[in-house]
Amino acid sequence: MAAAQRIVIENCSIATVDADDTEYAAGHLVIADRRVESLGAGDAPEGLENVVRRIDATGHLVTPGLVNTHHHFYQWITRGLATDHNLFDWLVALYPTWARIDEEMVRSAARGSLAMMARGGVTTAMDHHYVYPRGSGDLSGAIVGAARDMGVRFTLARGSMDRSEKDGGLPPDFAVESLDGALAATEETVKRHHDTSFDAMTQVAVAPCSPFSISTELLRQGAELARRLGVRMHTHGSETVEEEKFCHELFGMGPTDYFESTGWLGEDVWMAHCVHMNDSDIAAFARTRTGVAHCPSSNARLAAGIARVPDMLAAGVPVGLGVDGTASNESGELHTELRNALLINRLGAHREAALNARQALRLGTFGGAQVLGRAAEIGSLEPGKLADLVLWKLDTLAHASIADPVTALVFGAAAPVTASFVNGRQIVQDGRLLTADEDEIARSTREQARRLAEIAAR
Ligand SMILES: [Zn+2]
C-alpha cells in the first residue's frame, strides 16, 4: 500500500467542535489521505514524511465543514416566487410549477444548490426530493450524480407524496405517486445509491414528504421499509399552526403523536422544522433520540414561528441546521443559518441566554453529523475522523477587528472560504469551486428556470 500523503495546515486558530469544545488559538492540523491524522497547538511535528502540501493559514479559523440537514435542490429554479405567503398558500401557489420539472431542470438546480453551499463552507449536503412527475426521467440519479461530480458528501432523502387534493391533501392530483409506486422507487434508490462505508460520499434516507401530502399508510410502510433496509428516515413535522390544525382535524391528534403512532420517532429519524412543539413533544423527541433539522430562515420567510431549540438542546434532542429549499430561503447558504439560529432564538423565551456562538457552530457541524447518522465520521476535527474541514479567512475588513474567531464567524458577515476539503480533497479555493464552473452553472440555472416558467404557464 502507498504511504499516506500528508497536507499540513499551520498558524491557524482551530475550533474542533469535539465533546469538550477544544480550541487552539494558534495551532496546526495534519491531513493524511482522507482523514485528520493529528492536530494541536503550535507548529506541526517535525519530520513528517510524504508532505505534499504545506498551507500557511495565518489569519484563518479552521472548523469542521458545515453540514446541511434539510434542503430541496429543485427549488433553486423557483426562487423569488410567492414571496409574501405562509406555508400552505405558498405550497398551493408553487405545486403546479413544481409538478412540471424534468431531469434536465433537476440536474441544473441540484448543481446550483450544491455550488452555492459548497463555496460557503458546506462539505456535507442533503436533498429531500419528493416531486417525481410521471415520465420526468431519472431524477434521483441526476441529483446523486451532481453531488458526486462536485465532490460534496451527500445524503439523498428520497421523498414522496401520495395524498393529493382528492384525499384531503394539499398537492394537486397530478403531482403525486401511488403508495406502491413510491415505496418501490424508494427501495430501488436505496439499493442503487446507498453506501455504508465509513468514508461514504452518498447515502440515502426514506423520506415521505409531510403529514398533509402523504397517506398514513405511506408513513407506516415507509418506516418499515427504512428499518428493513437499515437506512435513516426523514420528513417534515410540526412546521406551522395550519399543519397542527390539519393533523387534529384528520387524525385527531397533534403531529408528534401522529408520527409516534406511525413509527416515526426514533434515533434513526430526523425531522425538519419542529416549530410547534409542546413540552411533551420535546420530551418524546428526547426520549427516542429523534433528531431535528432547524431551518430558521425558512421558518421566518414563511412566518412559521420560532423552533424551541434551547429547550430541545437542554432536553438532549440532537439538532442540526438546514437551509431548507431555496424557494423559501433564497440565500441558499448555511452560514446564514448559524447566524439566524442564534439571532432568531434570542427573540424567543430564553432571550440572550438562548444560544451562544459556539452552540450555533455546533448545530451547523457536529449537530448536523448527528442527525444524518454520521457523527462517528464527520462533524468535529479529531484524529481518525474524515478530513472535511474549512479554512475561514478572518483577517480582512469584514472580521479583522473581532478578536474571538468563533464570534467573528457566527456573528459577523459570511466569511470568505479560502479552502474547503472533503475526504481530504480540496473542493474550494479562495471562494471559488475547484470541481465545477460557477459561471456555467449560473447560466444553466437561469435557462432552466426560464424553461420551467414557460412550461408551467402553458
Ligand atoms: Zn422543507
Side-chain angles (χ1 to χ4, degrees):
M1 216 171 105
Q5 296 210 323
R6 294 192 169 84
I7 298 172
V8 175
I9 303 167
E10 288 178 303
N11 306 319
C12 48
S13 305
I14 303 174
T16 65
V17 199
D18 66 8
D20 303 321
D21 260 332
T22 306
E23 294 180 11
Y24 302 101
H28 69 273
L29 185 145
V30 180
I31 298 172
D33 291 338
R34 297 179 170 204
R35 301 199 189 200
V36 174
E37 183 178 54
S38 62
L39 72 171
D43 293 338
E46 279 178 39
L48 289 172
E49 289 177 4
N50 287 319
V51 175
V52 293
R53 201 167 152 209
R54 213 169 255 281
I55 300 172
D56 176 3
T58 302
H60 288 78
L61 169 67
V62 177
T63 71
L66 301 183
V67 177
N68 189 38
T69 65
H70 187 66
H71 205 310
H72 311 289
F73 287 177
Y74 74 94
Q75 292 180 8
W76 189 260
I77 56 171
T78 61
R79 293 196 295 164
L81 304 175
T83 51
D84 308 309
H85 293 49
N86 70 30
L87 175 73
F88 277 15
D89 296 342
W90 171 86
L91 286 169
V92 169
L94 288 168
Y95 279 138
T97 301
W98 290 343
R100 311 303 294 274
I101 55 175
D102 62 25
E103 189 180 319
E104 194 185 357
M105 293 173 192
V106 167
R107 181 178 294 103
S108 176
R111 282 166 59 74
S113 297
L114 285 158
M116 193 66 202
M117 286 187 291
R119 69 205 281 283
V122 169
T123 53
T124 297
M126 78 78 78
D127 183 14
H128 184 191
H129 189 82
Y130 53 85
V131 186
Y132 288 90
R134 223 160 291 139
S136 55
D138 178 14
L139 304 189
S140 294
I143 297 162
V144 166
R148 189 186 49 227
D149 291 349
M150 220 169 279
V152 177
R153 198 180 303 285
F154 183 57
T155 296
L156 174 66
R158 205 294 181 182
S160 45
M161 302 194 292
D162 74 335
R163 183 192 288 277
S164 64
E165 281 165 340
K166 70 172 168 42
D167 303 315
L170 226 53
D173 297 339
F174 58 83
V176 301
E177 297 174 279
S178 67
L179 169 68
D180 291 341
L183 289 166
T186 303
E187 176 160 5
E188 194 256 357
T189 306
V190 171
K191 289 188 167 150
R192 207 167 124 210
H193 296 295
H194 184 67
D195 179 357
T196 55
S197 341
F198 185 84
D199 59 358
M201 290 297 285
T202 310
Q203 296 202 330
V204 179
V206 174
C209 187
S210 60
F212 46 84
S213 62
I214 52 182
S215 64
T216 306
E217 220 25 57
L218 181 52
L219 270 179
R220 252 195 217 111
Q221 293 190 30
E224 284 166 16
L225 174 69
R227 286 169 180 146
R228 174 162 63 79
L229 299 175
V231 297
R232 296 182 75 75
M233 298 154 57
H234 179 62
T235 190
H236 293 95
S238 305
E239 185 171 356
T240 64
V241 285
E242 289 82 7
E243 177 193 328
E244 209 176 5
K245 191 162 163 270
F246 180 96
C247 287
H248 278 286
E249 279 171 13
L250 253 79
F251 315 124
M253 58 186 112
T256 300
D257 292 335
Y258 178 54
F259 284 125
E260 184 148 43
S261 75
T262 51
W264 274 77
L265 296 188
E267 58 185 0
D268 52 358
V269 181
W270 85 107
M271 213 167 290
H273 305 306
C274 305
V275 174
H276 297 277
M277 304 260 282
N278 60 31
D279 290 346
S280 92
D281 297 334
I282 291 177
F285 270 56
R287 189 179 64 241
T288 56
R289 301 287 296 159
T290 305
V292 170
H294 175 46
C295 307
S297 296
S298 172
N299 295 157
R301 158 79 150 84
L302 296 172
I306 303 170
R308 296 169 58 191
V309 172
D311 296 325
M312 293 174 190
L313 294 178
V317 176
V319 183
L321 292 179
V323 165
D324 203 0
T326 48
S328 65
N329 177 6
E330 276 75 1
S331 96
E333 294 181 293
L334 196 60
H335 170 271
T336 53
E337 304 313 292
L338 299 182
R339 191 164 188 271
N340 285 343
L342 184 148
L343 296 179
I344 290 175
N345 276 285
R346 288 187 179 186
L347 298 174
H350 296 270
R351 302 188 55 190
E352 68 277 11
L355 285 176
N356 62 38
R358 283 164 174 83
Q359 287 173 305
L361 177 61
R362 176 170 291 275
L363 293 177
T365 52
F366 190 79
Q370 268 185 306
V371 307
L372 294 183
R374 306 211 60 181
E377 304 105 290
I378 57 170
S380 60
L381 299 176
E382 299 177 64
K385 290 186 94 166
L386 295 169
D388 289 14
L389 52 98
V390 181
L391 277 69
W392 306 93
K393 186 166 173 57
L394 298 178
D395 61 355
T396 68
L397 174 65
H399 304 90
S401 58
I402 304 174
D404 176 56
V406 176
T407 298
L409 179 71
V410 175
F411 281 86
V417 172
T418 294
S420 178
F421 293 84
V422 179
N423 264 355
R425 174 194 182 204
Q426 189 174 355
I427 62 165
V428 175
Q429 172 75 44
D430 298 326
R432 299 285 292 184
L433 281 171
L434 295 173
T435 48
D437 177 350
E438 283 179 30
D439 299 331
E440 181 273 316
I441 294 172
R443 274 193 303 276
S444 148
T445 54
R446 187 173 181 82
E447 219 167 86
Q448 295 304 321
R450 196 176 296 147
R451 194 164 73 82
L452 176 57
E454 275 168 22
I455 292 172
R458 269 178 218 156

